[in-house]
Amino acid sequence: MMEERANLMHMMKLSVKVLLQSALSLGRSLDADHAPLQQFFVVMEHCLKHGLKVKKSFIGQNKSFFGPLELVEKLCPEAAEIATSVRNLPELKTPVGRGRAWLYLALMQKKLADYLKVLIDNKHLLSEFYEPEALMMEEEGMVIVGLLVGLNVLDANLCLKGEDLDSQVGVIDFSIYLRDVQDLDGGKEHERITDVLDQKNYVEELNRHLSCTVGDLQAKIDGLEKTNSKLQEELSAATDRICSLEEEQQQLREQNELIRERSEKSVEMTKQDTRVELETYKQTRQGLDEMYSDVWKQLKEEKRIRLDAESSLQQKNEAITSFEGKTNQVLSSMKQMEERLQLSDQARRGAEERSRKLQQELGSRVGALQLQLSQLHEQCSSLEKELKSEKEQRQALQRELQHEKDTCSLLRTELQQVEGLKKELRGLQDEKAELQKVCDEQEQALQEMGLHLSQSKLKMEDIKEVNKALKGHTWLKDDEATHCKQCEKEFSIARRKHHCRNCGHIFCSTCSSNELALPSYPKPVRVCDSCHTLLLQRCSSTAS
């Protein structure tokens, strides 16, 4: 079992090496007719069959490596699609054909190494299908998984329809691998490998002969069992026949022993193939170097894109400076408006002071006139009393009456003056109403100017916040972010990176699906969910 594992390991290394070399020459795209790919599947099938427990019956032995592969569906849910597709193929009738189809689909998905690693990590489940010393149960199984990782760079286009996977004969074609060995070791190595190939053909011929002999023996045993129940008298003849069969079986054992010795010699010859491993590693390294060169080109392209982004950032900085100039202009205009507001406040206070003085003067003059009128009424009443009481003294008092008439004329003139004062008072009241109207208009104008000033201050605060946001938030580079800023999920090919145009952090598509118009961007741009909520709240507070 140990020697068989070593031989299968050498064949797997050679098959992977030749497959990678041919794939690199063809552009990493392969189809089902590619000979190294077919041989790789044959070697892979032998590796999966090594140490496989068989179901023994009287007719023969039944080996199927599809049983362990079905465990992958339970251990790895991603492989359920492969298992379902294999079971739904109507042209597959045997477990061997289904196992080959499973290998084809796993290679096309570039998951063959991952699925086999899942199997090897659960060896307690594989013990049901493999012997303890089988290749899949030993360290060589993990080595094969490491070799299969290199096949993920290949693109296999395999069509399962029309392929007769049930009846294919899994024979390894050593001629594909002999060409490389001939180029390395020369004529002597070629002779030794030719001998090994002849021995291999001889062993295969013996195996076919033995399989035919075993088939004949099985048919004879079936005939003996049928005749034994019918003819008891022929028991002695059947016993002799069984003895002859035992002798033939002994001969077959001797032949098998001879074949084993020859296979041991062939194993010693194949051990020399380990020299080829170094060359395999070197060529694999060459393929990886080519891959590294491609990655380096992609890195240069990304650097060029980054330089373009830096130039665009410089243009944005220039736009910010222009915005700052405009901000200074707005500040100067606000200062002028404040000065005009102060002047209007001074004019309003002067008008109020003059109105107050006029009201005081009018109040004092009206009070004096009312006092004089009251005194005149009192004098008139006293005069009437005196006239009534002194009717008899009319003659004596005519001169006084004339004097009183003169006084009355004077009083009339004073009354006329009082009327003029009343008219002047009404004019002053009208002037006061006009001044009050002007004052009300000025107060309304001041309220409107205050409203405009508050709106200008809000706009200035928004511009200052935008400037702070533009100066405070840095544009995070793509290489610095491996997870989403909000949901902390790792970025991959399916989950791409997106910048928030407000805070500059990097989010996934789900956490940055909103778009808003920012002061630094005239059109709606992508923002994260947090910035979207914050900006909406700010807009609603500004509107209210």
Side-chain angles (χ1 to χ4, degrees):
M1 296 288 285
M2 186 181 301
E3 292 175 355
E4 289 177 358
R5 289 201 308 269
N7 294 336
L8 289 174
M9 279 298 304
H10 296 320
M11 292 307 304
M12 178 58 71
K13 291 177 181 178
L14 286 173
S15 63
V16 172
K17 169 196 168 184
V18 173
L19 182 58
L20 287 174
Q21 289 177 347
S22 60
L24 291 174
S25 62
L26 295 176
R28 299 194 182 97
S29 181
L30 306 174
D31 53 12
D33 297 333
H34 191 56
L37 182 61
Q38 294 177 352
Q39 287 300 308
F40 164 75
F41 283 121
V42 172
V43 175
M44 192 69 213
E45 182 178 342
H46 280 279
C47 292
L48 292 174
K49 285 183 177 179
H50 181 262
L52 189 66
K53 291 181 180 180
V54 297
K55 296 180 180 179
K56 297 182 180 180
S57 63
F58 189 76
I59 299 175
Q61 298 177 348
N62 181 20
K63 285 187 177 182
S64 174
F65 61 94
F66 184 59
L69 298 181
E70 288 182 313
L71 292 175
V72 180
E73 181 181 2
K74 301 177 181 178
L75 300 174
C76 185
E78 298 177 0
E81 183 179 356
I82 295 179
T84 304
S85 300
V86 169
R87 295 189 188 98
N88 292 335
L89 290 174
E91 58 268 17
L92 298 178
K93 306 297 183 182
T94 63
V96 176
R98 296 188 184 97
R100 292 168 178 170
W102 191 94
L103 293 176
Y104 280 26
L105 294 175
L107 183 64
M108 284 193 288
Q109 283 190 353
K110 299 183 180 181
K111 294 285 187 179
L112 183 57
D114 298 336
Y115 293 157
L116 292 182
K117 184 178 183 302
V118 171
L119 281 178
I120 292 174
D121 291 340
N122 295 272
K123 291 182 180 179
H124 61 285
L125 298 177
L126 289 179
S127 60
E128 181 182 355
F129 299 94
Y130 289 101
E131 299 291 341
E133 296 182 356
L135 187 144
M136 295 294 290
M137 301 293 290
E138 296 292 339
E139 296 297 329
E140 286 83 352
M142 187 58 69
V143 176
I144 289 179
V145 171
L147 293 173
L148 295 178
V149 173
L151 300 181
N152 292 338
V153 301
L154 304 180
D155 295 328
N157 299 320
L158 308 176
C159 182
L160 300 180
K161 292 183 178 180
E163 293 287 338
D164 189 8
L165 299 179
D166 292 329
S167 60
Q168 288 182 1
V169 179
V171 179
I172 301 175
D173 187 6
F174 290 95
S175 60
I176 297 176
Y177 313 112
L178 292 178
R179 289 193 295 269
D180 297 332
V181 180
Q182 289 173 359
D183 295 335
L184 294 173
D185 297 337
K188 293 182 180 180
E189 190 69 14
H190 173 66
E191 292 178 359
R192 286 181 291 179
I193 293 175
T194 304
D195 295 336
V196 173
L197 186 60
D198 293 338
Q199 292 177 1
K200 174 254 184 186
N201 293 330
Y202 177 71
V203 170
E204 289 180 351
E205 184 66 24
L206 286 178
N207 286 331
R208 284 193 292 271
H209 179 69
L210 287 175
S211 62
C212 293
T213 305
V214 170
D216 295 336
L217 291 175
Q218 189 64 45
K220 292 177 182 179
I221 290 172
D222 293 336
L224 289 173
E225 286 182 350
K226 291 178 181 179
T227 55
N228 189 26
S229 60
K230 297 179 182 180
L231 303 174
Q232 291 294 334
E233 63 274 12
E234 296 180 0
L235 179 60
S236 59
T239 304
D240 296 336
R241 183 59 178 170
I242 291 171
C243 292
S244 64
L245 291 174
E246 289 177 352
E247 292 176 357
E248 290 180 3
Q249 187 177 6
Q250 184 65 29
Q251 293 177 0
L252 290 174
R253 288 179 180 175
E254 293 175 357
Q255 291 178 358
N256 287 329
E257 184 66 20
L258 181 61
I259 292 170
R260 188 183 63 80
E261 293 176 356
R262 291 179 179 178
S263 63
E264 289 177 354
K265 294 180 181 180
S266 64
V267 167
E268 292 177 356
M269 298 300 293
T270 54
K271 286 182 180 179
Q272 298 177 0
D273 294 340
T274 54
R275 300 174 185 175
V276 185
E277 293 179 4
L278 181 59
E279 184 65 24
T280 303
Y281 295 144
K282 289 181 179 180
Q283 294 182 359
T284 306
R285 180 67 181 177
Q286 182 179 2
L288 293 174
D289 291 338
E290 292 178 359
M291 293 173 62
Y292 292 153
S293 64
D294 295 337
V295 174
W296 182 250
K297 290 179 181 179
Q298 293 179 359
L299 181 59
K300 288 182 177 180
E301 183 66 19
E302 291 179 356
K303 287 183 178 179
R304 184 184 64 78
I305 294 171
R306 183 175 60 81
L307 291 175
D308 294 338
E310 289 178 354
S311 65
S312 64
L313 181 61
Q314 185 176 3
Q315 293 176 359
K316 291 178 181 178
N317 291 329
E318 294 175 357
I320 290 169
T321 56
S322 65
F323 284 144
E324 289 178 353
K326 293 179 180 179
T327 303
N328 294 328
Q329 294 178 0
V330 173
L331 288 173
S332 63
S333 63
M334 285 181 64
K335 289 180 180 179
Q336 294 176 0
M337 292 177 70
E338 288 178 355
E339 292 175 355
R340 291 173 61 186
L341 179 61
Q342 291 176 358
L343 292 175
S344 63
D345 289 336
Q346 292 177 0
R348 182 177 61 82
R349 286 195 294 270
E352 289 177 353
E353 185 67 23
R354 289 194 299 272
S355 177
R356 185 177 60 78
K357 289 180 179 179
L358 288 172
Q359 287 178 358
Q360 290 177 357
E361 291 177 358
L362 290 173
S364 62
R365 294 177 67 181
V366 168
L369 291 173
Q370 287 178 354
L371 181 60
Q372 290 178 4
L373 285 173
S374 63
Q375 291 176 358
L376 290 172
H377 286 299
E378 290 176 357
Q379 289 177 4
C380 288
S381 62
S382 63
L383 289 172
E384 287 177 354
K385 290 177 180 179
E386 288 176 359
L387 287 172
K388 290 179 180 179
S389 63
E390 293 181 358
K391 284 180 180 180
E392 298 84 10
Q393 300 176 1
R394 185 177 299 176
Q395 293 177 355
L397 295 175
Q398 284 181 352
R399 291 187 297 272
E400 292 179 5
L401 181 60
Q402 185 66 36
H403 180 68
E404 291 295 334
K405 288 180 180 179
D406 295 334
T407 305
C408 287
S409 63
L410 290 173
L411 290 172
R412 288 190 184 95
T413 55
E414 287 179 0
L415 286 172
Q416 290 177 357
Q417 291 177 1
V418 169
E419 292 293 334
L421 290 174
K422 288 182 178 180
K423 291 179 180 179
E424 187 178 358
L425 177 61
R426 286 194 294 270
L428 290 174
Q429 289 178 351
D430 295 334
E431 186 179 359
K432 177 185 176 183
E434 291 177 358
L435 289 174
Q436 186 66 33
K437 184 178 181 182
V438 172
C439 184
D440 294 336
E441 291 177 355
Q442 289 179 354
E443 287 180 354
Q444 185 176 3
L446 288 174
Q447 290 179 358
E448 292 178 356
M449 291 177 67
L451 180 61
H452 289 301
L453 283 174
S454 63
Q455 292 178 354
S456 300
K457 288 181 180 179
L458 289 174
K459 291 181 180 178
M460 286 301 301
E461 290 177 357
D462 292 338
I463 292 172
K464 289 179 181 178
E465 289 179 359
V466 170
N467 291 332
K468 289 181 182 178
L470 292 174
K471 292 179 180 179
H473 298 296
T474 58
W475 190 264
L476 194 63
K477 297 181 180 180
D478 291 340
D479 299 335
E480 296 177 357
T482 59
H483 295 75
C484 177
K485 180 70 175 177
Q486 182 171 346
C487 65
E488 297 183 355
K489 292 183 179 179
E490 187 177 4
F491 294 116
S492 61
I493 297 175
R495 186 176 289 103
R496 300 184 62 188
K497 302 177 181 178
H498 296 281
H499 278 88
C500 176
R501 297 304 189 273
N502 186 45
C503 62
H505 291 289
I506 296 178
F507 301 85
C508 63
S509 179
T510 304
C511 297
S512 61
S513 61
N514 300 304
E515 291 185 357
L516 279 178
L518 301 178
S520 57
Y521 294 92
K523 295 181 179 180
V525 293
R526 183 186 293 271
V527 294
C528 64
D529 293 342
S530 300
C531 293
H532 182 260
T533 304
L534 181 61
L535 292 173
L536 287 179
Q537 291 177 356
R538 187 178 301 166
C539 292
S540 62
S541 62
T542 304
S544 62

